[in-house]
Amino acid sequence: MEFNSSLYLVPTPIGNLADITLRALEVLKTVDVILAEDTRTTGSLLKHYDIKSQLKSYHIFNEHKQIEKLIEELNAGKKMALVSDAGTPAISDPGFLLVRACLKAGVKLECLPGATAFVPALVASGLPSDRFVFEGFLPQKKGRQTRLQALVEESRTMVFYESPHRLIKALNQFGETLGYDRQASVSRELTKLYEETVNGSIQEIIDHFGEQKIKGEIVVIIAGK
């Protein structure tokens, strides 16, 4: 395998470690530096696959400060891989700013295909997947209602990420804005031991989860109008 790019965006498993690709492993073993959202999380993955490449912290709180130096190092010939804790970098995770800077600076980059949580959740929802809109995480406070209201007339299937402790609140907000009879799907713990996908109306999904303690990363799929 030839390595002609300087920066590689490498998707990592969203749960099951076996979901990493052979190409991703080869890139991670070969690059000079792996930029990781959380070095402890990525360190566990690298240890599992006996990868010795240098790890460097790159996350939402330090990315602005690091970009200029990283571009210098990439232009000087270093090869780097960017990973997030799980899934594809820059999808609701750090990465966009570095990609933009690389393109502006003429740094050759390559994004590998691989794990992304919303794709299996969307397919398993049974809702139309030929046209959809990815909304990621809604604003927690300011602007949340504005974003919800902007989706009232959306005809495409809508995809959201949500934290487990805010799931019921979010579902109620979707119900109040879009109607509790709107068809939806919630997937959690994708690829893990307790993976669960619940399909039905928003109200039926609220009833399913009830007062139970919800764990795991959440993907919410909502039918369009």
Side-chain angles (χ1 to χ4, degrees):
M1 176 179 174
E2 293 186 8
F3 290 83
N4 298 318
S5 300
S6 295
L7 176 67
Y8 293 85
L9 282 74
V10 181
T12 53
I14 59 175
N16 191 319
L17 293 181
D19 287 338
I20 197 164
T21 67
L22 295 175
R23 185 176 169 213
L25 291 175
E26 191 170 358
V27 168
L28 293 176
K29 288 177 181 177
T30 306
V31 294
D32 301 306
V33 179
I34 298 172
L35 305 174
E37 185 179 7
D38 187 325
T39 54
R40 294 166 299 181
T41 300
T42 301
S44 297
L45 175 69
L46 300 187
K47 183 178 180 181
H48 181 81
Y49 286 106
D50 194 29
I51 296 172
K52 309 294 186 182
S53 302
Q54 179 188 351
L55 264 179
K56 185 173 182 179
S57 179
Y58 180 86
H59 48 73
I60 193 171
F61 300 108
N62 71 5
E63 59 179 336
H64 286 86
K65 298 177 182 178
Q66 291 206 54
I67 287 177
E68 187 175 341
K69 187 172 188 300
L70 291 175
I71 294 296
E72 289 178 2
E73 292 178 355
L74 288 163
N75 275 325
K78 271 197 175 181
K79 293 193 179 298
M80 300 184 185
L82 174 65
V83 301
S84 60
D85 288 348
T88 300
I91 303 295
S92 292
D93 282 321
F96 161 71
L97 294 177
L98 182 57
V99 168
R100 184 175 65 180
C102 283
L103 294 174
K104 185 176 180 180
V107 174
K108 189 174 181 182
L109 59 86
E110 193 170 343
C111 183
L112 277 60
T116 302
F118 77 79
V119 174
L122 174 62
V123 174
S125 72
L127 295 171
S129 56
D130 55 334
R131 296 177 69 244
F132 63 91
V133 56
F134 177 72
E135 289 290 328
F137 287 97
L138 288 172
Q140 290 187 31
K141 295 179 181 178
K142 186 178 180 181
R144 190 177 180 91
Q145 284 301 322
T146 302
R147 283 276 293 279
L148 285 168
Q149 288 298 324
L151 295 170
V152 170
E153 298 300 321
E154 178 59 66
S155 61
R156 295 168 292 182
T157 301
M158 295 168 277
V159 181
F160 303 88
Y161 285 162
E162 192 52 271
S163 65
H165 67 274
R166 289 199 303 265
L167 176 61
I168 298 300
K169 179 181 179 181
L171 287 172
N172 274 305
Q173 289 175 327
F174 287 132
E176 291 166 3
T177 306
L178 307 174
Y180 282 92
D181 59 345
R182 181 74 65 94
Q183 289 299 295
S185 177
V186 170
S187 293
R188 67 179 191 89
E189 295 280 76
L190 285 168
T191 78
K192 300 177 185 177
L193 181 61
Y194 298 107
E195 176 179 332
E196 178 182 26
T197 294
V198 182
N199 301 323
S201 68
I202 292 175
Q203 185 60 61
E204 287 171 336
I205 296 173
I206 292 172
D207 293 341
H208 169 83
F209 285 106
E211 298 298 321
Q212 66 177 284
K213 187 174 182 180
I214 304 166
K215 296 181 179 179
E217 299 300 317
I218 305 289
V219 185
V220 180
I221 313 292
I222 307 285
K225 183 176 180 182

